[in-house]
Amino acid sequence: MEKETIAKVRQLLAGQKKIVVVGHKNPDGDAIGSCLGLARVLNRLGHSATVIVPNDFPDFLKWLPGCETIVVHEQEEDKSISLINNADLIFTLDFNDLSRVGSMQQFLEDAVAEFVMIDHHQAPADYAVVTYSDVKMSSTSEMVYHFLDAIGELPALCADVATQLYTGIMTDTGSFRYPATTATTHKVIAHLIEEGANNAEIHQQVFDTNSEDRLRLLGLALKNLHILPQYRTAYITLLQKELDANNFKKGDTEGFVNYALSVKGIVFAVIFIENKQEKITKMSFRSKGDFSVNEFARAHFNGGGHTHAAGGRSNLSLSKTVTEFISILTNYKQQLTNAS
Ligand code: 5GP
Ligand code: MN
């Protein structure tokens, strides 16, 4: 972070402030971990900080310290709106465009509070007085650590904050295996373990708490795996009725797309998930090497994200979306064949 930015943050945090910390819609481990970690430190510093997320978060995060304090906008709209309207300061974490908060968007746009953005996605929008954006970062949770370091508040870390940030870094790096995982990431992790993050327990809580339903759904997803060797692409489909038959719960499909990417020779993987309620087909894109799924999602499916992990959506049915996707792939044949 630059000196002027740090000075501005210090100025914004002078005195006791009413603060809202917001994560994106369909919050993942990084959104929840970074929001909880930052809010906990702000509260320890004497502010009054509350985390708000647009909709519910997965069960595999519901053991995190402090997760019971999160206000889910969809479930407690009046409380959420009142917190937003009365806030002096709003931190937005792990997203960079107000369109990523679903039904909260209008309330954030109307808020009188000043905004601070901490985020690692590409192409940040211009709504914050402080924008700490770094696409090279492994996770927003790692950025929260660097943010606290820059403003001199690392001593406010405690075992709970270490656990929250560790969880965000671990989930966003695929357990420290994606290319954005750096030596610095590992140094941050080492410090978080020293501060009380229990790595074995966190891994167990997140990864070894599958329901039978989720594993049966994974079995079905793997049955629905299609390989397009000519495009070095693999995709998985899940229809609403398949989700329903396995008592789908939020977060159950998290990570499924990685099985498609793990096929030898595949550089581009997609999972198409039908959402009858929203009348959309949701897509998660993953890639390896120099093929950018962020650009692909932006160009064709009203989405975005990172170079190797992005999401998007289509208003067409699942089967029509797949057909459209395959026809678009023909334009990328050269790029995918040569991807390294
Ligand atoms: P996932 O596939 O795990 O839902 O998301 C992968 C990455 O892409 C995440 O960093 C997420 O924030 C981003 N992402 C997912 N869906 C969308 C979308 O519809 N629009 C944008 N801009 N980013 C998305
Ligand atoms: Mn993230």
Side-chain angles (χ1 to χ4, degrees), residues 24 100 121 254 282 284-286 302-306 309-313:
H24 55 78
R100 295 277 293 130
H121 294 86
E254 190 95 17
K282 180 82 182 110
S284 283
F285 302 104
R286 298 292 185 271
N302 197 25
H306 311 277
R313 61 186 53 221

Side-chain angles (χ1 to χ4, degrees), residues 287-337:
S287 68
K288 282 184 185 145
D290 48 22
F291 185 72
S292 169
V293 286
N294 169 51
E295 284 171 28
F296 187 90
R298 271 176 204 276
H300 305 290
F301 292 104
N302 197 25
H306 311 277
T307 306
H308 296 117
R313 61 186 53 221
S314 152
N315 294 322
L316 300 175
S317 69
L318 186 143
S319 68
K320 284 194 174 135
T321 306
V322 172
T323 306
E324 188 192 4
F325 169 73
I326 294 173
S327 79
I328 292 168
L329 274 187
T330 56
N331 304 323
Y332 289 86
K333 189 158 191 224
Q334 193 89 18
Q335 213 179 319
L336 289 163
T337 312

Side-chain angles (χ1 to χ4, degrees), residues 20-28 30-36 50-55 70-71 73 90-98 100-102 104 108 118 127 140:
V20 163
V21 182
V22 183
H24 55 78
K25 190 177 172 191
N26 300 328
D28 57 5
D30 190 28
I32 296 292
S34 60
C35 286
L36 284 176
T50 309
V51 176
I52 307 181
V53 291
N55 59 348
I70 295 175
V71 175
H73 178 83
I90 298 178
F91 282 80
T92 65
L93 265 54
D94 203 35
F95 65 94
N96 62 18
D97 191 303
L98 295 181
R100 295 277 293 130
V101 294
M104 281 175 72
L108 290 184
I118 305 180
Y127 59 79
T140 301

Side-chain angles (χ1 to χ4, degrees), residues 242-308:
E242 294 173 318
L243 300 172
D244 294 345
N246 290 283
N247 303 313
F248 169 77
K249 287 185 78 182
K250 192 166 275 303
D252 276 356
T253 56
E254 190 95 17
F256 283 11
V257 65
N258 295 323
Y259 287 93
L261 193 64
S262 74
V263 178
K264 192 171 181 185
I266 294 302
V267 294
F268 186 19
V270 192
I271 185 166
F272 298 88
I273 302 177
E274 183 180 34
N275 184 333
K276 279 237 154 134
Q277 202 183 350
E278 292 186 29
K279 296 200 179 92
I280 58 163
T281 302
K282 180 82 182 110
M283 283 158 272
S284 283
F285 302 104
R286 298 292 185 271
S287 68
K288 282 184 185 145
D290 48 22
F291 185 72
S292 169
V293 286
N294 169 51
E295 284 171 28
F296 187 90
R298 271 176 204 276
H300 305 290
F301 292 104
N302 197 25
H306 311 277
T307 306
H308 296 117

Side-chain angles (χ1 to χ4, degrees), residues 59-61 63 200-210:
D59 279 355
F60 67 80
L61 299 171
W63 58 274
E201 194 188 320
I202 295 171
H203 279 260
Q204 223 171 63
Q205 291 279 17
V206 172
F207 297 116
D208 298 342
T209 50
N210 282 313

